[in-house]
Short mmCIF file of all heavy atoms in Angstrom, two decimals:
data_model
loop_
_atom_site.label_atom_id
_atom_site.label_comp_id
_atom_site.label_asym_id
_atom_site.label_seq_id
_atom_site.Cartn_x
_atom_site.Cartn_y
_atom_site.Cartn_z
N ARG A 120 -20.74 -25.98 33.10
CA ARG A 120 -19.35 -26.38 33.30
C ARG A 120 -18.77 -26.97 32.02
O ARG A 120 -19.37 -27.86 31.42
CB ARG A 120 -19.23 -27.42 34.42
CG ARG A 120 -19.65 -26.89 35.78
CD ARG A 120 -19.66 -27.97 36.85
NE ARG A 120 -20.50 -29.09 36.43
CZ ARG A 120 -20.10 -30.37 36.44
NH1 ARG A 120 -18.92 -30.73 36.85
NH2 ARG A 120 -20.92 -31.33 36.02
N TRP A 121 -17.63 -26.45 31.61
CA TRP A 121 -16.93 -26.92 30.42
C TRP A 121 -15.53 -27.37 30.80
O TRP A 121 -14.75 -26.60 31.36
CB TRP A 121 -16.83 -25.81 29.38
CG TRP A 121 -18.13 -25.56 28.70
CD1 TRP A 121 -19.13 -24.72 29.11
CD2 TRP A 121 -18.60 -26.18 27.52
NE1 TRP A 121 -20.19 -24.78 28.24
CE2 TRP A 121 -19.88 -25.67 27.24
CE3 TRP A 121 -18.04 -27.11 26.64
CZ2 TRP A 121 -20.63 -26.06 26.13
CZ3 TRP A 121 -18.77 -27.50 25.53
CH2 TRP A 121 -20.05 -26.96 25.29
N LEU A 122 -15.21 -28.64 30.51
CA LEU A 122 -13.87 -29.16 30.74
C LEU A 122 -13.10 -29.04 29.45
O LEU A 122 -13.43 -29.67 28.44
CB LEU A 122 -13.93 -30.62 31.19
CG LEU A 122 -12.58 -31.25 31.51
CD1 LEU A 122 -11.88 -30.53 32.66
CD2 LEU A 122 -12.76 -32.73 31.87
N LEU A 123 -12.09 -28.17 29.45
CA LEU A 123 -11.28 -27.92 28.26
C LEU A 123 -9.91 -28.55 28.43
O LEU A 123 -9.28 -28.44 29.50
CB LEU A 123 -11.12 -26.40 28.05
CG LEU A 123 -12.42 -25.58 27.98
CD1 LEU A 123 -12.09 -24.12 27.75
CD2 LEU A 123 -13.35 -26.12 26.91
N LYS A 124 -9.44 -29.19 27.39
CA LYS A 124 -8.09 -29.75 27.39
C LYS A 124 -7.29 -29.03 26.30
O LYS A 124 -7.69 -28.98 25.16
CB LYS A 124 -8.08 -31.24 27.10
CG LYS A 124 -6.66 -31.85 27.13
CD LYS A 124 -6.58 -33.27 26.59
CE LYS A 124 -7.22 -34.27 27.50
NZ LYS A 124 -6.91 -35.66 27.05
N HIS A 125 -6.17 -28.46 26.74
CA HIS A 125 -5.26 -27.77 25.83
C HIS A 125 -3.91 -28.50 25.77
O HIS A 125 -3.43 -28.96 26.82
CB HIS A 125 -5.00 -26.34 26.28
CG HIS A 125 -6.18 -25.44 26.17
ND1 HIS A 125 -7.03 -25.21 27.22
CD2 HIS A 125 -6.66 -24.74 25.12
CE1 HIS A 125 -7.99 -24.37 26.82
NE2 HIS A 125 -7.78 -24.08 25.56
N GLU A 126 -3.35 -28.55 24.59
CA GLU A 126 -1.96 -28.93 24.48
C GLU A 126 -1.16 -27.65 24.66
O GLU A 126 -1.39 -26.66 23.95
CB GLU A 126 -1.65 -29.52 23.12
CG GLU A 126 -0.19 -29.89 22.96
CD GLU A 126 0.10 -30.40 21.56
OE1 GLU A 126 0.33 -29.58 20.64
OE2 GLU A 126 0.05 -31.63 21.38
N LEU A 127 -0.25 -27.66 25.62
CA LEU A 127 0.62 -26.53 25.87
C LEU A 127 2.03 -26.94 25.44
O LEU A 127 2.56 -27.95 25.93
CB LEU A 127 0.62 -26.16 27.35
CG LEU A 127 1.74 -25.23 27.83
CD1 LEU A 127 1.69 -23.90 27.12
CD2 LEU A 127 1.68 -25.07 29.34
N THR A 128 2.60 -26.16 24.56
CA THR A 128 4.00 -26.32 24.16
C THR A 128 4.74 -25.08 24.62
O THR A 128 4.39 -23.97 24.22
CB THR A 128 4.15 -26.50 22.64
OG1 THR A 128 3.37 -27.62 22.22
CG2 THR A 128 5.61 -26.69 22.25
N VAL A 129 5.74 -25.25 25.50
CA VAL A 129 6.54 -24.12 25.96
C VAL A 129 7.82 -24.08 25.16
O VAL A 129 8.63 -25.01 25.19
CB VAL A 129 6.84 -24.22 27.48
CG1 VAL A 129 7.77 -23.07 27.91
CG2 VAL A 129 5.55 -24.19 28.28
N GLU A 130 7.96 -23.01 24.39
CA GLU A 130 9.11 -22.82 23.53
C GLU A 130 10.19 -22.01 24.24
O GLU A 130 9.88 -21.17 25.09
CB GLU A 130 8.71 -22.02 22.28
CG GLU A 130 7.64 -22.69 21.44
CD GLU A 130 7.16 -21.83 20.30
OE1 GLU A 130 7.15 -20.59 20.41
OE2 GLU A 130 6.84 -22.43 19.24
N ILE A 131 11.42 -22.31 23.88
CA ILE A 131 12.58 -21.54 24.37
C ILE A 131 13.05 -20.71 23.18
O ILE A 131 13.33 -21.26 22.10
CB ILE A 131 13.71 -22.47 24.83
CG1 ILE A 131 13.20 -23.45 25.88
CG2 ILE A 131 14.88 -21.64 25.38
CD1 ILE A 131 14.17 -24.62 26.14
N GLU A 132 13.13 -19.40 23.36
CA GLU A 132 13.55 -18.52 22.27
C GLU A 132 14.91 -18.97 21.73
O GLU A 132 15.86 -19.16 22.49
CB GLU A 132 13.60 -17.08 22.74
CG GLU A 132 13.79 -16.08 21.64
CD GLU A 132 13.66 -14.65 22.12
OE1 GLU A 132 14.05 -14.35 23.27
OE2 GLU A 132 13.17 -13.82 21.33
N GLY A 133 14.99 -19.16 20.40
CA GLY A 133 16.25 -19.54 19.77
C GLY A 133 16.52 -21.03 19.77
O GLY A 133 17.57 -21.45 19.25
N SER A 134 15.60 -21.85 20.29
CA SER A 134 15.81 -23.29 20.34
C SER A 134 14.76 -24.01 19.49
O SER A 134 13.60 -23.60 19.46
CB SER A 134 15.72 -23.79 21.78
OG SER A 134 15.81 -25.20 21.82
N ASP A 135 15.19 -25.06 18.82
CA ASP A 135 14.25 -25.85 18.02
C ASP A 135 13.45 -26.82 18.89
O ASP A 135 12.38 -27.26 18.49
CB ASP A 135 15.00 -26.65 16.96
CG ASP A 135 15.61 -25.77 15.89
OD1 ASP A 135 15.10 -24.64 15.66
OD2 ASP A 135 16.60 -26.18 15.25
N LYS A 136 13.98 -27.17 20.06
CA LYS A 136 13.32 -28.13 20.93
C LYS A 136 12.56 -27.41 22.03
O LYS A 136 13.09 -26.52 22.69
CB LYS A 136 14.38 -29.05 21.55
CG LYS A 136 13.81 -30.27 22.21
CD LYS A 136 14.90 -31.26 22.55
CE LYS A 136 14.31 -32.56 23.04
NZ LYS A 136 15.33 -33.55 23.36
#
Side-chain angles (χ1 to χ4, degrees):
R120 296 175 305 129
W121 286 87
L122 182 61
L123 306 181
K124 182 191 289 190
H125 291 95
E126 177 184 86
L127 166 61
T128 302
V129 176
E130 300 175 327
I131 306 166
E132 190 173 34
S134 176
D135 292 335
K136 192 168 188 179

